[in-house]
Amino acid sequence: MGARGAPSRRRPAGRRLRYLPAGSFPFLLLLLLLCIQLGGGQKKKENLLAEKVEQLMEWSSRRSIFRMNGDKFRKFIKAPPRNYSMIVMFTALQPQRQCSVCRQANEEYQILANSWRYSSAFCNKLFFSMVDYDEGTDVFQQLNMNSAPTFMHFPPKGRPKRADTFDLQRIGFAAEQLAKWIADRTDVHCIVFAMTSGQMWNHIRGPPYAHKNPHNGQVSYIHGSSQAQFVAESHIILVLNAAITMGMVLLNEAATSKGDVGKRRIICLVGLGLVVFFFSFLLSIFRSKYHGYPYSDLDFE
């Protein structure tokens, strides 16, 4: 009897559920599905970006400038996601186009890209590519481009602005000017483009070992311009500097040693002869490359 009159107990969960508005379960389910979809989309986006960067790094390991057709241009440059800057030279290098300016600009562009590839600052935030008219006519049409060569910067986010097109007509296309423009347009501030001597020169500019005159067959091992040098020239300069250093070592030995005076005098004369002779040779090479240089020692010309 007492049990019949006792009030019935309900579970606390029942009381909480009683305050949920009608129709809330479908809304919560839809919100949950939306969160799952957004999370999956973000993961897919990250995977796609990683694949693109990995492919670009693989191409860069084989050559400093990779060529783009229409499909590659749309996938790696136009389509998101993208967290890297892309420098593109639009050109027409096929012989039938007879674009001599394109060939000259391409040489400077190669120097620029090779400098970046061999620099200590090289990373996956900046890449160099090329679109030739005969390989990507649709790209030229898409960009309403009717002249070549043209250099453009495609930033990691958003569309290129007016300043992202290099003013070639006003500035020219020297590698140093292109490097300055890239430093202004990108977040990469540690680019080392000025590597123009010794072994690094050979890597970047790819000069011939020597030059043979086609008319008289005479071989030149020293380039006549201050803006270039042959591979053999690098080796010659290395030997001359080594000989001068040896001469300085002998002079120091003659001055500081406490041996026989006659022997020290001979060492001093040999060291002095090495320094004077090979420094004069080095100076004559400098004069032949920098025309009008007024100073000389022994005349080897």
Side-chain angles (χ1 to χ4, degrees):
M1 180 120 181
R4 188 183 305 121
S8 60
R9 296 182 179 179
R10 296 181 181 180
R11 292 176 297 179
R15 286 200 300 269
R16 287 197 295 268
L17 292 175
R18 184 177 58 184
Y19 295 102
L20 291 175
S24 60
F25 288 107
F27 174 76
L28 292 176
L29 182 59
L30 179 62
L31 183 62
L32 179 61
L33 291 176
L34 181 61
C35 291
I36 294 175
Q37 184 177 4
L38 290 176
Q42 181 65 26
K43 186 66 176 178
K44 184 178 179 181
K45 183 178 180 180
E46 293 176 357
N47 292 337
L48 178 59
L49 177 59
E51 291 176 2
K52 292 170 69 172
V53 173
E54 182 180 1
Q55 180 65 75
L56 292 173
M57 289 297 291
E58 180 184 349
W59 287 341
S60 296
S61 65
R62 291 183 291 186
R63 57 180 59 191
S64 54
I65 301 174
F66 36 85
R67 304 176 78 96
M68 292 275 185
N69 56 22
D71 293 337
K72 290 180 180 179
F73 178 84
R74 284 182 284 272
K75 177 179 179 181
F76 291 95
I77 299 179
K78 295 291 290 183
R82 193 174 66 249
N83 64 349
Y84 49 84
S85 291
M86 182 73 73
I87 307 299
V88 185
M89 180 178 76
F90 298 91
T91 186
L93 294 175
Q94 296 300 321
Q96 64 269 20
R97 301 297 175 187
Q98 298 182 355
C99 182
S100 59
V101 178
C102 293
R103 291 192 295 270
Q104 297 172 14
N106 181 54
E107 292 177 0
E108 295 296 317
Y109 193 48
Q110 291 285 347
I111 294 171
L112 178 72
N114 285 337
S115 299
W116 167 243
R117 181 183 177 187
Y118 288 107
S119 74
S120 59
F122 177 76
C123 64
N124 59 2
K125 297 300 181 182
L126 177 65
F127 298 99
F128 292 84
S129 63
M130 173 192 303
V131 177
D132 192 279
Y133 180 80
D134 292 282
E135 298 172 359
T137 307
D138 54 336
V139 178
F140 277 75
Q141 294 174 350
Q142 180 182 350
L143 298 176
N144 295 321
M145 192 173 296
N146 53 16
S147 64
T150 299
F151 296 93
M152 287 188 64
H153 164 240
F154 291 86
K157 296 181 180 179
R159 297 180 178 181
K161 300 179 176 59
R162 183 175 181 179
D164 288 309
T165 299
F166 183 68
D167 192 350
L168 185 146
Q169 299 295 331
R170 183 176 63 88
I171 304 176
F173 47 75
E176 292 77 12
Q177 297 300 327
L178 286 169
K180 184 178 182 301
W181 169 68
I182 291 173
D184 292 339
R185 301 310 305 164
T186 67
D187 293 330
V188 182
H189 301 290
C190 301
I191 305 175
V192 182
F193 291 102
M195 300 176 185
T196 56
S197 64
Q199 187 66 20
M200 188 56 69
W201 173 285
N202 298 337
H203 275 298
I204 294 174
R205 303 212 174 211
Y209 187 83
H211 173 71
K212 184 176 182 180
N213 192 313
H215 301 291
N216 55 23
Q218 184 178 0
V219 178
S220 300
Y221 297 100
I222 305 298
H223 199 286
S225 171
S226 61
Q227 302 298 318
Q229 68 184 48
F230 299 131
V231 174
E233 184 177 342
S234 300
H235 299 162
I236 292 173
I237 299 301
L238 178 64
V239 172
L240 294 178
N241 284 320
I244 294 171
T245 302
M246 179 59 68
M248 297 298 294
V249 171
L250 292 177
L251 287 174
N252 180 73
E253 178 69 18
T256 57
S257 65
K258 298 181 180 181
D260 180 71
V261 176
K263 183 179 180 180
R264 291 168 57 189
R265 184 179 293 114
I266 294 174
I267 294 176
C268 179
L269 291 175
V270 172
L272 183 62
L274 287 173
V275 172
V276 172
F277 180 82
F278 287 104
F279 183 78
S280 298
F281 197 2
L282 186 65
L283 192 61
S284 67
I285 294 177
F286 185 83
R287 291 183 62 197
S288 69
K289 297 177 70 66
Y290 290 83
H291 305 287
Y293 186 74
Y295 305 105
S296 65
D297 197 347
L298 301 179
D299 192 0
F300 289 94
E301 298 180 359

